[in-house]
Amino acid sequence: MLTTNRTTTGRAPGSLAGPGGPAARSRRRVPQSVWGFLLVLPSLALVTGVVLYPLAYLLWLSVHSKLPFGSRLNFTGLENFQEILSAPEFWRSVWLSVVYAVGSVGLQTVLGIAVALLLHQRFVGRGAIRMISMIPYVLPTIVVTLVWRWLLDVNYGPAEYAARLVGLTDRAVGWMTPGKIMLTLILVSTWTFFPFVMISILARLQTINPSLWEAGMVDGAGAWRRFWHITLPQLRSVLLTLILLRIMFMFTKFDVVFLFAGTGALGENVETLPVLTYIRTFGEGDLGGGAVMALFMFALLGTVSLIYLRSLWREERT
Amino acid sequence: MLTRRRWRRDRSSPLVYLGALVVTIAFSFPLYWMFLTSVKHRDEVFADPPLFFTARPTLDPYRRLVESTNFLTYLSNSIVVAFGATLLAVSVSTLAAYSLTRMRFPGSEKVARTLLFAYTLAPIVIVVPLYGLFRDVGLTNSRLGLVLAYASFGVPFSMWLLRSFFQGIPVSYEEAAMVDGATRAQAVRRVVVPLAAPGVIATSMFTLILAWNDFIFAKILIADDGLKTLPVGLADLFNSNIIDWPMIMAAAVLTALPVLVSYLFLQRYLVAGWGAGGVVG
């Protein structure tokens, strides 16, 4: 999945600054290592200021009193942790996040494999379809959620009409009702995020040696058996990484959930951890509690990404 | 599935075309419906059964959008913030990526790792403490604050993407130019920059999309209606009393258009970036 070209990986071009090189011509040169650091500095400053320092501040907030921003905060030790970890609404939101993440990643994976296999075939119009199927990924989330709410509208939406037409039901399906909203949210999220899974799988498929399938055909294996015994084992490592990372990202996804169903009467049914964190922190002004939940997600994200990055680095170094 | 057994290189089974048809409809119909609603006449919008075409196209929803809402303000805020953030993120991360692929300094490996780690963090985690910090230094309710937030959030990914593009440019090209008497700066300008251009375009696209599409940072950091960006402005329009669907869809069309058009034109760069960027998204 990482098509990194390794022509120069990690190799410092010593000759560029070496004594025999053109660099030697000018005197009082700033050493290359200083230059190297200076060039990285602006990026490092931005990331430190806006991403890393806030993390430290988050840690600080989590052990201080539960008040809105702007108040004087008192040290309260682990009180916030105790309160949050024993709150049923916290565990309920964790459960909803798990349902949402596992459900949508499962669907994304199945659809991703299916469409990637389709686009791996040669047929007229393949390029156009590949282009169309990646559009959801670039669409702003607000556009996706507004369009789907309109498509699924109980009175005027074409989705209800189609369901009636097919004879699925003679009454309204009611996509936006408390009982179905989680399922609907999962379907819409799958529509939005599956292109990424699809394109990653397609990239891997294209590196599989076609002679493997040809050998399978010669042996008389049908399409299904070729998929099961040849294609799938080749996709295994890519799928494992994808599923792990996607679950982590869906677990901490805020905007789709919040914009599609997070406000109003339906909100309670999709109150995943990111949504609850938002409500706690900015709605109820409970900084300490919000910080604890944010930390919980950070711990989860951090662990998974460290495992992933570690393997990535090892792979890159070899 | 049986037809697949006789599958030949140049001929595809009807099943493939059926699948292609389903995929096409699933991904283009929502866009069609969005556009159609935005040009439908009021009476047609609430027809039962729904109308899949329009006999009386009108631009009235667009007129309502521009005249009765703050849409143009949101639009200009979005443009300023997205381009500002992209310019900042791409320029600083180009420097960083060049350094990380061409130069060595103590701890350079650590820097690369730290940046990459930052790239896997979710906005919801950061936005809780970031609001407090920005509030203390007066960066809430300011477009500069948003630019800084998007740029910083975009840097790790931009840097990572550009790094892989730079790795694809052989150092020997620069060395050759310098043997021929070019200074390092000249070598970079004449050799590296042209070769890295596709990578810079792809990276800019990604950052632009990130900033243009973001909802959560803008929602939390901006309170003034006059400073809101499109996603937050649209969410407000939707949540206000009576939903004017044609007008909402007109707003959606105009918000999606810039990213759709640039996607169509710069698709191949984007796909290259997708391949190089790994699995985060």
Side-chain angles (χ1 to χ4, degrees):
Chain A
M1 100 220 47
L2 277 155
T3 56
T4 319
N5 192 326
R6 297 211 170 81
T7 40
T8 62
T9 309
R11 188 169 67 88
S15 58
L16 285 185
R25 260 189 261 126
S26 66
R27 266 173 234 149
R28 274 185 305 158
R29 270 194 91 81
V30 182
Q32 200 208 350
S33 60
V34 174
W35 265 117
F37 183 69
L38 284 178
L39 292 179
V40 175
L41 204 59
S43 300
L44 205 58
L46 275 179
V47 173
T48 308
V50 178
V51 182
L52 300 177
Y53 179 64
L55 276 180
Y57 184 51
L58 184 66
L59 211 61
W60 185 89
L61 282 175
S62 71
V63 291
H64 284 75
S65 50
K66 13 191 301 121
L67 288 166
F69 281 106
S71 347
R72 257 184 74 91
L73 301 174
N74 298 315
F75 181 77
T76 54
L78 294 177
E79 232 171 68
N80 292 326
F81 287 86
Q82 222 165 22
E83 192 243 308
I84 292 294
L85 292 178
S86 61
E89 66 165 351
F90 169 75
W91 291 108
R92 180 171 173 272
S93 74
V94 169
W95 168 244
L96 287 176
S97 294
V98 169
V99 170
Y100 174 62
V102 172
S104 69
V105 172
L107 274 176
Q108 284 175 48
T109 311
V110 172
L111 266 180
I113 294 176
V115 178
L117 285 173
L118 177 75
L119 292 180
H120 193 54
Q121 314 286 321
R122 274 161 217 256
F123 62 91
V124 184
R126 180 171 70 162
I129 288 175
R130 194 167 111 156
M131 195 188 75
I132 291 169
S133 62
M134 271 156 57
I135 284 178
Y137 190 79
V138 296
L139 279 181
T141 308
I142 181 71
V143 172
V144 171
T145 52
L146 289 177
V147 170
W148 275 101
R149 284 195 74 138
W150 178 223
L151 283 165
L152 300 171
D153 189 88
V154 68
N155 295 316
Y156 311 108
E160 290 285 3
Y161 172 72
R164 250 181 299 151
L165 208 64
V166 182
L168 209 63
T169 166
D170 46 356
R171 285 174 301 138
V173 180
W175 299 97
M176 305 298 289
T177 50
K180 294 216 179 72
I181 188 66
M182 181 54 98
L183 177 68
T184 309
L185 176 67
I186 287 175
L187 291 174
V188 170
S189 304
T190 302
W191 186 85
T192 316
F193 297 110
F194 116 103
F196 194 85
V197 177
M198 184 268 288
I199 210 78
S200 305
I201 295 172
L202 188 60
R204 178 69 184 93
L205 276 179
Q206 282 162 350
T207 63
I208 297 176
N209 190 342
S211 66
L212 281 175
W213 287 301
E214 276 154 30
M217 276 206 251
V218 171
D219 291 347
W224 179 249
R225 289 193 47 173
R226 285 202 302 277
F227 169 73
W228 202 249
H229 293 288
I230 300 168
T231 316
L232 211 52
Q234 293 282 327
L235 293 177
R236 218 183 68 143
S237 69
V238 131
L239 285 178
L240 278 176
T241 321
L242 267 175
I243 289 171
L244 186 74
L245 289 176
R246 293 313 303 177
I247 285 188
M248 179 176 91
F249 280 101
M250 297 313 289
F251 190 87
T252 51
K253 201 82 176 168
F254 171 79
D255 47 5
V256 180
V257 184
F258 182 78
L259 286 170
F260 189 69
T263 48
L266 291 172
E268 200 190 319
N269 304 286
V270 290
E271 201 174 79
T272 57
L273 192 52
V275 176
L276 185 66
T277 307
Y278 170 82
I279 293 174
R280 268 279 171 130
T281 315
F282 300 102
E284 297 168 7
D286 171 8
L287 263 183
V292 169
M293 292 192 272
L295 268 181
F296 182 85
M297 287 185 275
F298 170 67
L300 216 71
L301 279 169
T303 314
V304 175
S305 36
L306 274 183
I307 295 171
Y308 166 65
L309 293 178
R310 215 159 255 234
S311 70
L312 200 68
W313 239 271
R314 209 174 310 131
E315 187 186 302
E316 203 174 64
R317 214 181 276 153
T318 51
Chain B
M1 278 295 153
L2 274 175
T3 46
R4 282 279 304 277
R5 196 171 291 193
R6 264 171 262 266
W7 181 78
R8 268 172 284 152
R9 236 163 226 294
D10 52 344
R11 203 158 299 172
S12 309
S13 71
L15 213 66
V16 168
Y17 282 100
L18 185 70
L21 186 71
V22 171
V23 172
T24 309
I25 291 174
F27 290 99
S28 55
F29 182 74
L31 294 179
Y32 171 70
W33 193 250
M34 164 176 80
F35 174 73
L36 182 70
T37 306
S38 78
V39 295
K40 263 186 182 174
H41 194 273
R42 232 182 251 260
D43 304 341
E44 295 174 334
V45 174
F46 303 107
D48 187 32
L51 285 171
F52 291 90
F53 57 89
T54 174
R56 288 184 285 170
T58 170
L59 287 178
D60 206 49
Y62 291 87
R63 199 181 48 79
R64 287 205 296 282
L65 180 68
V66 171
E67 285 177 2
S68 69
T69 73
N70 269 341
F71 183 80
L72 292 180
T73 312
Y74 305 146
L75 179 69
S76 74
N77 288 335
S78 270
I79 292 172
V80 169
V81 169
F83 279 91
T86 304
L87 201 68
L88 182 59
V90 173
S91 43
V92 301
S93 48
T94 305
L95 298 178
Y98 181 82
S99 163
L100 292 175
T101 53
R102 300 289 196 268
M103 294 159 159
R104 271 279 145 127
F105 58 90
S108 63
E109 189 97 316
K110 269 222 169 64
V111 168
R113 284 176 191 214
T114 310
L115 287 174
L116 193 58
F117 180 71
Y119 147 55
T120 59
L121 288 175
I124 184 72
V125 174
I126 296 303
V127 87
V128 171
L130 190 68
Y131 175 77
L133 288 174
F134 271 20
R135 198 174 172 281
D136 291 344
V137 294
L139 281 171
T140 46
N141 229 351
S142 111
R143 285 180 291 195
L144 178 65
L146 269 190
V147 167
L148 285 176
Y150 294 150
S152 313
F153 229 75
V155 157
F157 184 64
S158 303
M159 194 278 303
W160 183 241
L161 207 59
L162 282 165
R163 184 172 163 270
S164 65
F165 276 105
F166 275 124
Q167 280 171 346
I169 304 169
V171 177
S172 59
Y173 290 9
E174 284 156 84
E175 287 169 344
M178 285 164 75
V179 167
D180 289 345
T183 63
R184 182 167 202 135
Q186 284 170 334
V188 168
R189 202 163 56 233
R190 303 219 181 112
V191 180
V192 182
V193 171
L195 287 171
V200 173
I201 294 174
T203 310
S204 306
M205 270 291 287
F206 276 105
T207 317
L208 212 57
I209 289 174
L210 175 130
W212 187 263
N213 294 4
D214 168 76
F215 170 76
I216 186 169
F217 283 104
K219 167 84 180 165
I220 287 162
L221 296 178
I222 302 288
D224 263 15
D225 196 50
L227 293 172
K228 280 177 182 165
T229 53
L230 283 171
V232 181
L234 260 62
D236 286 356
L237 280 185
F238 176 72
N239 287 322
S240 63
N241 37 46
I242 298 161
I243 303 171
D244 180 348
W245 278 112
M247 189 184 84
I248 295 276
M249 287 300 111
V253 167
L254 293 179
T255 304
L257 209 59
V259 271
L260 283 181
V261 170
S262 39
Y263 168 65
L264 293 185
F265 281 104
L266 301 172
Q267 205 214 134
R268 82 200 154 90
Y269 296 109
L270 206 62
V271 174
W274 234 330
V279 290
V280 185

